[in-house]
Amino acid sequence: MILSKLALLLIGLLLAGWTTAALYAIAGARARVARAEAGLARARRLGRMIDDSPALPLLVRADGKIEAPPRLAGWLGLDAVPQFLTELGGGDRPVGLEAGQLSDLSEAVRRTQKTAQPFQLYLTPQGSQRTLAARGHLADPQVSPGGAALVWLFDFTDAAEQLGRLDEEARRAREDFGALVGLIEAAPLPMWFRRPDGALQLVNSAYVTAVGGDSAAAVVAAGTELLEAHDGQEPGEVAAEALRQRRPVERTVSATIGGQRRAMRVSDLPLGADGIAGYAVDIEDREELARTLRAFREAQRSMLDQMSAGIAQFDAKRQLTFANQPLQRIFALQPLAMLNPPPFERFLDLARDAARLPEVRDFPAWRRERLGWFTAGAPVEEAWPLADGTHLRVVAQPLPDGGLLLIAEDRTEELRLSAMRDTLLRTRTATFDSLFEAVAVFAPDGRMQLWNRRFASAWGLENEFLDTHPRIDTLLEKVEQQLARPAHARAVGDVVRAATLQRQQTGGRVALRDGRWLEFAGVPLPDGNGLLTVLDITDSQKAEDALKERNAALVEADSLKTRFLASMSYEFRTPLTSIGGFAELLEAGLGGDLNPSGHEYIAAILTSVARLTEQIESLLDLSQSEAGMLPLASETIELMPFLKRLAEDRAAQLKEAGVTLDLRGNKGAGSITGDPRRLGRALGHLIDNAVRATPAGGRVRVEVMRHRRRGRDWARVVISDKGAGMSPTELARALGGLKAGGEGAGADRRQGLGLPLARQLIEAHRGHFELISEPGQGTVAMVDLP
């Protein structure tokens, strides 16, 4: 029983142990199954991840066999993944890897298997646009022992396209950058780039040329600045300030380029944190143009102020922008109004308040009509009569910019002058017709403008023909029919052309067929026309012919008189010489002794013979001088001794007249060249006249001096007396050879040849003779000799 129970207990314990072991085994199996299932799931997840990953593994064993996912066959265009690496090519089909790429891949794999050196290749399967990136390295021994190579293949198609695009964009960027650099380098204006601190980093060729540098590198290294300091700041400081404020800075500064001061428009442009770009534009020409324009505007406005017409300019907003001084005077604008220029409507109101607008019934409507001038398509002209009698001509010229140019001209004086001109024209026409001469006015083109009635009658022309205002050539065709010699018509045309074109005054005479004589003359007129005057000189021509005949007869008679006087003078001298000679013989006692009365008679004869001989010599000299045949000797004459001898020769005459002769001068008076005999006769006659005119106890003064006249040295002899003097009429008679008789009852020739002969002899010596006399003041004779 007990054994049975023990056996049962043992059996129970064995069963319990087996049960426990079974349970433990079941639990362990279940755990292993769970772990296997988990590993299988993980393997499936990893395989799925590998299948979905952009990279596929390719395991290449040492014997060349490969393991790879089936998807690799799709990438290479193969039906299935081959067993060996060398079978990845397509053979004769355009699939798989191209032979060259397959060879490169095989070589890289063998090198990795031997040296464990990784590699990277880019593969393009045949017949596909796919790009694969192959990255290989030695496989982990746990993956595949025995020196296998693991190659990861990445589908690089999208990245390659993007890379190609990036390469293309980079290429284009490089090209654009090169073009931009070339453009900046070739730019004619200086350009530069500064570091954030304002120091120069890059400059172009124009900058180098402007600062006179050798190269861009040298200019940057030296920090040579093109610009001068502006408002106390250096160019680098201005650029750095622009970078700090992150806004462009523009300014106008001066720079010296090529030895000339130039105005430059400078811009500094911040480029983020990289630095500041800058460039300078030469605006000197523009500034000069602006200065010229300002000067031109000022000169134009100054010129407009000098014009008589008033000129005002309004802008597109109808605001007055300019008004010259005449316009301010015309419309009575006050200076206060010009300080704040009014609009057009206010301008009209001010002019109306000053009574400088025409009187209108509805001024607002009239003003609105004038506002239409701004939009008019053509200039508008109006006449404005003012209440004070002023007449204005107003022209409104619309401007392209919408403004208006207003011109006002005071035509009051012009209208008055026009009325006066009309009156003068009517007066001139009436005057022309009442002239004794025939007149006509010709224009420079030869067309006849005006004529009077006598012009038509003088040439025998019809009024209908003259009303056509013929040219001079057509007129001469009519005139030559009236001339005795038709060829003389050309002279009339030459006179008209000389007056109108050559502005010369000429004239001439022509004879007509009817026996009349016409004298014509051309006179240039101030307006450019020419005046032709024609005068009928038939009667005066006849009188002129008669006078010419009479003058010829008188000339012949005068010549006959001169020859007669010369002959008679010669004939008279011979018997006078005989009488004087015999009288001297008798005086010497050759005819016997003479009583006192006989001596007196002989003395009277000799005195009369000497006087008559002197008169004959004077008459002969006068006639020869008038005929231009007077012979003159040429000797040097010392003036003071010469005048002293003349005074001594008249000692007896002076004593008899009771007159004193006062000779003044010295030897410094000099000498002259002339005929002593005839010059002594001239001066002697003047002294004799002065002695005869001086009352007893009086004094005759003779002075000799030197003076300059017309750039030459002259000797002057002045003979003066204090006699009764002569009136202008008596002086004229004395110079003509006559001497007034007692109480003016007549005239005789006594001593009458002295003054004419003296003048002739002095002028024959190229001298000048002047006689000055006043009644009661005496007479002064002045003789100038070269």
Side-chain angles (χ1 to χ4, degrees):
M1 245 346 247
I2 294 173
L3 291 173
S4 299
K5 287 183 180 178
L6 288 172
L8 289 172
L9 179 60
L10 290 172
I11 293 170
L13 290 172
L14 289 172
L15 288 173
W18 281 104
T19 301
T20 301
L23 291 174
Y24 180 77
I26 291 171
R30 285 183 177 177
R32 287 192 296 273
V33 170
R35 285 195 299 271
E37 288 179 352
L40 182 61
R42 187 165 56 253
R44 285 197 296 267
R45 285 197 303 273
L46 291 174
R48 187 63 180 172
M49 290 174 61
I50 290 173
D51 290 339
D52 293 338
S53 70
L56 299 178
L58 172 64
L59 183 64
V60 183
R61 301 183 184 277
D63 57 0
K65 288 184 178 182
I66 62 173
E67 294 180 15
R71 194 153 56 103
L72 179 61
W75 282 10
L76 298 177
L78 301 174
D79 297 332
V81 178
Q83 292 184 358
F84 294 95
L85 180 63
T86 57
E87 295 176 354
L88 290 179
D92 296 335
R93 295 187 303 162
V95 293
L97 297 178
E98 188 261 340
Q101 292 185 351
L102 182 57
S103 175
D104 294 338
L105 178 60
S106 299
E107 179 65 27
V109 169
R110 284 194 297 271
R111 186 169 53 251
T112 299
Q113 289 174 342
K114 291 180 180 181
T115 64
Q117 180 179 357
F119 68 88
Q120 182 173 344
L121 291 176
Y122 293 97
L123 307 175
T124 302
Q126 299 183 83
S128 173
Q129 299 296 326
R130 192 183 301 273
T131 300
L132 303 177
R135 297 180 182 178
H137 56 85
L138 190 64
D140 190 281
Q142 295 181 1
V143 175
S144 177
L150 180 61
V151 181
W152 288 93
L153 297 175
F154 297 87
D155 188 350
F156 205 63
T157 304
D158 294 338
E161 292 179 356
Q162 185 177 6
L163 203 59
R165 288 195 299 271
L166 291 176
D167 289 340
E168 180 65 20
E169 291 177 0
R171 184 185 62 80
R172 292 180 180 177
R174 285 192 299 270
E175 293 177 354
D176 293 343
F177 180 76
L180 180 60
V181 171
L183 178 63
I184 293 174
E185 186 66 20
L189 61 154
M191 304 180 73
W192 59 88
F193 181 79
R194 298 180 184 273
R195 297 188 183 90
D197 61 355
L200 288 174
Q201 184 175 353
L202 295 173
V203 295
N204 67 345
S205 298
Y207 188 103
V208 176
T209 303
V211 299
D214 296 330
S215 64
V219 170
V220 171
T224 305
E225 292 288 352
L226 169 67
L227 308 174
E228 300 175 356
H230 180 69
D231 293 336
Q233 286 186 311
E234 295 296 331
E237 297 175 352
V238 176
E241 182 66 24
L243 181 62
R244 283 192 294 272
Q245 297 181 3
R246 298 187 179 278
R247 61 179 181 83
V249 174
E250 290 189 358
R251 62 196 187 278
T252 300
V253 297
S254 297
T256 302
I257 300 177
Q260 295 182 352
R261 297 289 291 173
R262 311 289 294 181
M264 310 293 289
R265 185 66 176 174
V266 181
S267 298
D268 287 313
L269 310 173
L271 301 179
D274 297 330
I276 312 98
Y279 62 90
V281 180
D282 190 340
I283 60 173
E284 179 64 27
D285 294 339
R286 188 178 69 181
E287 291 293 315
E288 180 64 25
L289 183 61
R291 290 191 292 268
T292 303
L293 181 60
R294 287 193 296 270
F296 173 76
R297 185 183 296 113
E298 294 299 327
Q300 186 183 44
R301 291 188 173 184
S302 177
M303 179 190 68
L304 293 177
D305 284 338
Q306 303 302 321
M307 297 178 63
S308 59
I311 299 176
Q313 186 172 355
F314 297 86
D315 58 16
K317 297 180 181 180
R318 301 176 183 175
Q319 194 76 19
L320 180 65
T321 58
F322 172 73
N324 66 348
Q325 293 296 328
L327 186 126
Q328 297 179 35
R329 290 194 298 269
I330 290 174
F331 290 101
L333 294 179
Q334 299 299 323
L336 185 60
M338 296 308 300
L339 293 177
N340 185 18
F344 183 72
E345 297 89 335
R346 179 58 180 163
F347 167 77
L348 294 180
D349 292 339
L350 294 174
R352 185 190 184 203
D353 294 343
R356 305 310 294 171
L357 293 182
E359 295 292 338
V360 293
R361 179 176 300 176
D362 188 355
F363 177 73
W366 183 87
R367 183 177 58 187
R368 285 194 298 273
E369 291 178 0
R370 300 307 169 280
L371 290 175
W373 286 350
F374 285 85
T375 57
V380 180
E381 181 175 347
E382 293 184 355
W384 289 3
L386 305 186
D388 60 355
T390 303
H391 292 268
L392 298 180
R393 172 178 173 264
V394 178
V395 178
Q397 172 68 55
L399 300 178
D401 61 355
L404 180 72
L405 184 66
L406 186 67
I407 303 174
E409 182 181 4
D410 190 344
R411 301 188 62 189
T412 307
E413 186 67 15
E414 181 180 349
L415 293 177
R416 186 181 68 83
L417 293 177
S418 178
M420 293 177 59
R421 176 179 176 274
D422 294 339
T423 303
L424 290 175
L425 287 176
R426 290 192 293 269
T427 304
R428 184 187 65 181
T429 301
T431 304
F432 269 24
D433 289 340
S434 62
L435 289 176
F436 181 74
E437 298 89 348
V439 295
V441 177
F442 291 85
D445 60 355
R447 186 176 296 277
M448 188 165 65
Q449 303 290 334
L450 300 172
W451 64 93
N452 62 353
R453 289 194 298 266
R454 290 186 181 274
F455 188 84
S457 61
W459 297 105
L461 302 174
E462 299 177 355
N463 290 326
E464 292 77 7
F465 170 71
L466 297 179
D467 290 339
T468 63
H469 296 272
R471 293 183 181 273
I472 185 62
D473 297 335
T474 306
L475 180 66
L476 294 180
E477 293 177 359
K478 293 285 187 179
V479 168
E480 66 182 7
Q481 300 175 8
Q482 310 295 328
L483 300 181
R485 294 183 178 180
H488 288 177
R490 181 178 179 181
V492 180
D494 293 341
V495 167
V496 173
R497 281 185 283 271
T500 55
L501 300 179
Q502 303 174 10
R503 314 300 297 163
Q504 296 179 356
Q505 181 173 344
T506 56
R509 294 182 180 183
V510 292
L512 303 184
R513 293 179 182 273
D514 56 7
R516 291 182 297 135
W517 279 84
L518 299 181
E519 184 177 32
F520 57 90
V523 180
L525 298 179
D527 59 358
N529 295 329
L531 176 67
L532 178 65
T533 62
V534 183
L535 182 63
D536 189 340
I537 59 168
T538 304
D539 296 337
S540 61
Q541 184 69 26
K542 294 178 179 178
E544 181 180 351
D545 293 340
L547 289 175
K548 285 182 178 179
E549 294 177 359
R550 183 176 180 183
N551 183 64
L554 290 175
V555 169
E556 180 62 25
D558 186 68
S559 177
L560 181 61
K561 179 201 70 172
T562 301
R563 291 194 301 271
F564 172 74
L565 290 176
S567 176
M568 290 304 295
S569 298
Y570 178 77
E571 295 295 334
F572 282 157
R573 280 194 297 180
T574 301
L576 283 175
T577 301
S578 300
I579 293 173
F582 286 122
E584 291 176 356
L585 292 175
L586 292 176
E587 178 69 20
L590 294 179
D593 294 333
L594 297 177
N595 55 25
S597 298
H599 284 289
E600 293 179 1
Y601 296 150
I602 293 298
I605 291 173
L606 290 175
T607 301
S608 299
V609 167
R611 183 176 297 174
L612 185 57
T613 300
E614 181 68 20
Q615 292 294 327
I616 291 174
E617 290 290 340
S618 298
L619 183 62
L620 182 59
D621 287 347
L622 182 62
S623 61
Q624 288 179 331
S625 178
E626 290 178 348
M629 296 164 40
L630 179 65
L632 292 176
S634 180
E635 299 179 12
T636 300
I637 304 173
E638 295 292 338
L639 282 176
M640 280 303 295
F642 179 71
L643 292 173
K644 187 175 181 180
R645 284 196 301 271
L646 292 179
E648 292 173 351
D649 292 342
R650 286 158 177 77
Q653 180 182 351
L654 291 170
K655 182 178 180 181
E656 181 181 354
V659 175
T660 303
L661 190 145
D662 186 4
L663 177 61
R664 296 186 179 185
N666 53 45
K667 294 183 179 181
S671 61
I672 60 174
T673 301
D675 190 329
R677 184 172 65 85
R678 289 189 168 87
L679 196 56
R681 180 175 295 156
L683 296 177
H685 279 304
L686 297 178
I687 294 175
D688 292 343
N689 287 342
V691 171
R692 285 193 293 271
T694 302
R699 183 185 298 272
V700 174
R701 179 178 295 176
V702 178
E703 297 180 81
V704 60
M705 65 191 72
R706 298 180 68 84
H707 72 102
R708 289 190 65 81
R709 177 181 178 185
R710 298 177 183 176
R712 295 178 58 186
D713 289 331
W714 294 76
R716 170 169 289 183
V717 179
V718 180
I719 302 171
S720 58
D721 63 69
K722 294 296 183 180
M726 292 179 286
S727 65
T729 302
E730 293 172 338
L731 184 62
R733 288 179 174 272
L735 291 174
L738 296 175
K739 183 178 179 181
E743 299 180 357
D748 57 22
R749 286 280 182 179
R750 289 187 305 107
Q751 309 297 333
L753 295 179
L755 290 178
L757 178 60
R759 182 173 60 184
Q760 291 285 351
L761 293 177
I762 292 170
E763 291 177 355
H765 284 80
R766 302 189 310 279
H768 301 278
F769 172 65
E770 184 178 3
L771 191 64
I772 303 173
S773 182
E774 292 184 9
Q777 300 295 325
T779 303
V780 177
M782 290 190 297
V783 178
D784 288 339
L785 296 170

Short mmCIF file of all heavy atoms in Angstrom, two decimals, residues 516-542:
data_model
loop_
_atom_site.label_atom_id
_atom_site.label_comp_id
_atom_site.label_asym_id
_atom_site.label_seq_id
_atom_site.Cartn_x
_atom_site.Cartn_y
_atom_site.Cartn_z
N ARG A 516 12.96 169.29 -128.00
CA ARG A 516 13.13 169.62 -126.59
C ARG A 516 14.36 168.91 -126.03
O ARG A 516 14.78 167.87 -126.51
CB ARG A 516 11.89 169.22 -125.79
CG ARG A 516 10.66 170.05 -126.10
CD ARG A 516 9.48 169.62 -125.24
NE ARG A 516 9.08 168.24 -125.50
CZ ARG A 516 8.81 167.35 -124.57
NH1 ARG A 516 8.93 167.69 -123.29
NH2 ARG A 516 8.44 166.11 -124.88
N TRP A 517 14.89 169.53 -124.96
CA TRP A 517 16.00 168.94 -124.22
C TRP A 517 15.53 168.63 -122.80
O TRP A 517 14.89 169.47 -122.15
CB TRP A 517 17.19 169.90 -124.15
CG TRP A 517 18.03 169.90 -125.39
CD1 TRP A 517 17.81 170.61 -126.52
CD2 TRP A 517 19.22 169.13 -125.59
NE1 TRP A 517 18.78 170.36 -127.46
CE2 TRP A 517 19.67 169.44 -126.90
CE3 TRP A 517 19.95 168.24 -124.83
CZ2 TRP A 517 20.81 168.87 -127.44
CZ3 TRP A 517 21.09 167.68 -125.36
CH2 TRP A 517 21.51 167.98 -126.66
N LEU A 518 15.84 167.43 -122.34
CA LEU A 518 15.47 167.02 -120.98
C LEU A 518 16.74 166.69 -120.22
O LEU A 518 17.62 165.99 -120.70
CB LEU A 518 14.56 165.79 -121.00
CG LEU A 518 13.21 165.94 -121.70
CD1 LEU A 518 12.42 164.64 -121.61
CD2 LEU A 518 12.40 167.09 -121.09
N GLU A 519 16.81 167.23 -118.99
CA GLU A 519 17.90 166.89 -118.08
C GLU A 519 17.34 165.98 -116.99
O GLU A 519 16.31 166.27 -116.38
CB GLU A 519 18.50 168.15 -117.46
CG GLU A 519 19.71 167.85 -116.56
CD GLU A 519 20.33 169.12 -116.00
OE1 GLU A 519 19.58 170.09 -115.77
OE2 GLU A 519 21.55 169.15 -115.81
N PHE A 520 18.01 164.84 -116.75
CA PHE A 520 17.52 163.87 -115.77
C PHE A 520 18.63 163.56 -114.78
O PHE A 520 19.83 163.66 -115.09
CB PHE A 520 17.02 162.59 -116.46
CG PHE A 520 18.05 161.93 -117.32
CD1 PHE A 520 18.92 160.97 -116.81
CD2 PHE A 520 18.16 162.28 -118.67
CE1 PHE A 520 19.86 160.36 -117.62
CE2 PHE A 520 19.12 161.67 -119.49
CZ PHE A 520 19.96 160.72 -118.95
N ALA A 521 18.20 163.17 -113.59
CA ALA A 521 19.16 162.83 -112.51
C ALA A 521 18.54 161.74 -111.65
O ALA A 521 17.33 161.72 -111.41
CB ALA A 521 19.51 164.05 -111.67
N GLY A 522 19.38 160.82 -111.18
CA GLY A 522 18.94 159.76 -110.28
C GLY A 522 19.49 160.00 -108.88
O GLY A 522 20.69 160.22 -108.71
N VAL A 523 18.62 159.97 -107.88
CA VAL A 523 19.00 160.25 -106.50
C VAL A 523 18.59 159.06 -105.64
O VAL A 523 17.42 158.67 -105.64
CB VAL A 523 18.32 161.53 -105.98
CG1 VAL A 523 18.74 161.81 -104.54
CG2 VAL A 523 18.66 162.71 -106.88
N PRO A 524 19.54 158.42 -104.90
CA PRO A 524 19.15 157.32 -104.00
C PRO A 524 18.35 157.85 -102.82
O PRO A 524 18.69 158.87 -102.23
CB PRO A 524 20.49 156.74 -103.57
CG PRO A 524 21.49 157.83 -103.78
CD PRO A 524 20.99 158.65 -104.93
N LEU A 525 17.27 157.16 -102.49
CA LEU A 525 16.42 157.53 -101.36
C LEU A 525 16.76 156.68 -100.14
O LEU A 525 17.26 155.56 -100.26
CB LEU A 525 14.95 157.34 -101.74
CG LEU A 525 14.45 158.20 -102.91
CD1 LEU A 525 12.98 157.90 -103.21
CD2 LEU A 525 14.62 159.69 -102.62
N PRO A 526 16.49 157.20 -98.93
CA PRO A 526 16.86 156.44 -97.72
C PRO A 526 16.18 155.09 -97.60
O PRO A 526 16.68 154.21 -96.92
CB PRO A 526 16.42 157.39 -96.59
CG PRO A 526 16.39 158.76 -97.21
CD PRO A 526 15.98 158.54 -98.62
N ASP A 527 14.99 154.91 -98.20
CA ASP A 527 14.28 153.65 -98.06
C ASP A 527 14.75 152.59 -99.05
O ASP A 527 14.14 151.53 -99.17
CB ASP A 527 12.78 153.87 -98.23
CG ASP A 527 12.42 154.48 -99.58
OD1 ASP A 527 13.35 154.77 -100.38
OD2 ASP A 527 11.22 154.66 -99.86
N GLY A 528 15.81 152.85 -99.81
CA GLY A 528 16.33 151.88 -100.77
C GLY A 528 15.83 152.09 -102.18
O GLY A 528 16.36 151.47 -103.11
N ASN A 529 14.84 152.94 -102.35
CA ASN A 529 14.35 153.24 -103.69
C ASN A 529 15.22 154.31 -104.34
O ASN A 529 16.13 154.87 -103.72
CB ASN A 529 12.88 153.70 -103.65
CG ASN A 529 11.96 152.59 -103.17
OD1 ASN A 529 12.23 151.42 -103.41
ND2 ASN A 529 10.89 152.95 -102.49
N GLY A 530 14.92 154.61 -105.60
CA GLY A 530 15.64 155.64 -106.32
C GLY A 530 14.68 156.64 -106.94
O GLY A 530 13.60 156.27 -107.43
N LEU A 531 15.06 157.91 -106.91
CA LEU A 531 14.23 158.98 -107.45
C LEU A 531 14.82 159.45 -108.77
O LEU A 531 16.01 159.78 -108.85
CB LEU A 531 14.16 160.16 -106.46
CG LEU A 531 13.40 161.40 -106.93
CD1 LEU A 531 11.92 161.10 -107.08
CD2 LEU A 531 13.61 162.56 -105.95
N LEU A 532 13.99 159.48 -109.81
CA LEU A 532 14.39 159.99 -111.13
C LEU A 532 13.68 161.31 -111.35
O LEU A 532 12.44 161.38 -111.36
CB LEU A 532 14.02 158.99 -112.23
CG LEU A 532 14.33 159.45 -113.67
CD1 LEU A 532 15.84 159.58 -113.86
CD2 LEU A 532 13.75 158.49 -114.69
N THR A 533 14.46 162.39 -111.48
CA THR A 533 13.90 163.71 -111.75
C THR A 533 14.22 164.10 -113.19
O THR A 533 15.33 163.84 -113.68
CB THR A 533 14.49 164.76 -110.80
OG1 THR A 533 15.90 164.85 -111.00
CG2 THR A 533 14.23 164.37 -109.35
N VAL A 534 13.24 164.69 -113.85
CA VAL A 534 13.37 165.09 -115.26
C VAL A 534 12.94 166.54 -115.36
O VAL A 534 11.87 166.92 -114.86
CB VAL A 534 12.52 164.19 -116.18
CG1 VAL A 534 12.73 164.59 -117.63
CG2 VAL A 534 12.87 162.72 -115.97
N LEU A 535 13.77 167.37 -116.00
CA LEU A 535 13.48 168.79 -116.14
C LEU A 535 13.64 169.19 -117.60
O LEU A 535 14.63 168.84 -118.25
CB LEU A 535 14.45 169.61 -115.27
CG LEU A 535 14.25 171.13 -115.25
CD1 LEU A 535 12.88 171.49 -114.67
CD2 LEU A 535 15.35 171.79 -114.44
N ASP A 536 12.65 169.92 -118.09
CA ASP A 536 12.70 170.42 -119.46
C ASP A 536 13.60 171.66 -119.47
O ASP A 536 13.28 172.71 -118.91
CB ASP A 536 11.29 170.79 -119.93
CG ASP A 536 11.25 171.11 -121.43
OD1 ASP A 536 12.32 171.42 -122.00
OD2 ASP A 536 10.16 171.04 -122.03
N ILE A 537 14.78 171.50 -120.08
CA ILE A 537 15.77 172.58 -120.09
C ILE A 537 15.95 173.15 -121.50
O ILE A 537 17.03 173.64 -121.83
CB ILE A 537 17.11 172.06 -119.55
CG1 ILE A 537 17.62 170.89 -120.41
CG2 ILE A 537 17.01 171.65 -118.09
CD1 ILE A 537 19.04 170.51 -120.12
N THR A 538 14.89 173.06 -122.27
CA THR A 538 15.02 173.56 -123.65
C THR A 538 15.42 175.02 -123.67
O THR A 538 16.38 175.42 -124.35
CB THR A 538 13.69 173.35 -124.40
OG1 THR A 538 13.33 171.97 -124.33
CG2 THR A 538 13.84 173.77 -125.85
N ASP A 539 14.70 175.87 -122.90
CA ASP A 539 15.01 177.30 -122.88
C ASP A 539 16.38 177.56 -122.27
O ASP A 539 17.17 178.36 -122.79
CB ASP A 539 13.92 178.05 -122.11
CG ASP A 539 12.56 177.96 -122.80
OD1 ASP A 539 12.54 177.73 -124.03
OD2 ASP A 539 11.54 178.09 -122.10
N SER A 540 16.66 176.90 -121.15
CA SER A 540 17.96 177.13 -120.52
C SER A 540 19.10 176.60 -121.39
O SER A 540 20.20 177.15 -121.37
CB SER A 540 17.99 176.45 -119.14
OG SER A 540 17.81 175.05 -119.28
N GLN A 541 18.84 175.55 -122.19
CA GLN A 541 19.87 175.05 -123.09
C GLN A 541 20.20 176.08 -124.16
O GLN A 541 21.38 176.30 -124.49
CB GLN A 541 19.42 173.73 -123.74
CG GLN A 541 20.45 173.07 -124.61
CD GLN A 541 21.62 172.51 -123.84
OE1 GLN A 541 21.47 172.20 -122.67
NE2 GLN A 541 22.79 172.44 -124.47
N LYS A 542 19.14 176.71 -124.65
CA LYS A 542 19.37 177.77 -125.64
C LYS A 542 20.15 178.93 -125.02
O LYS A 542 21.08 179.46 -125.63
CB LYS A 542 18.05 178.25 -126.21
CG LYS A 542 17.30 177.20 -127.03
CD LYS A 542 15.97 177.73 -127.53
CE LYS A 542 15.23 176.68 -128.37
NZ LYS A 542 13.92 177.18 -128.83
#
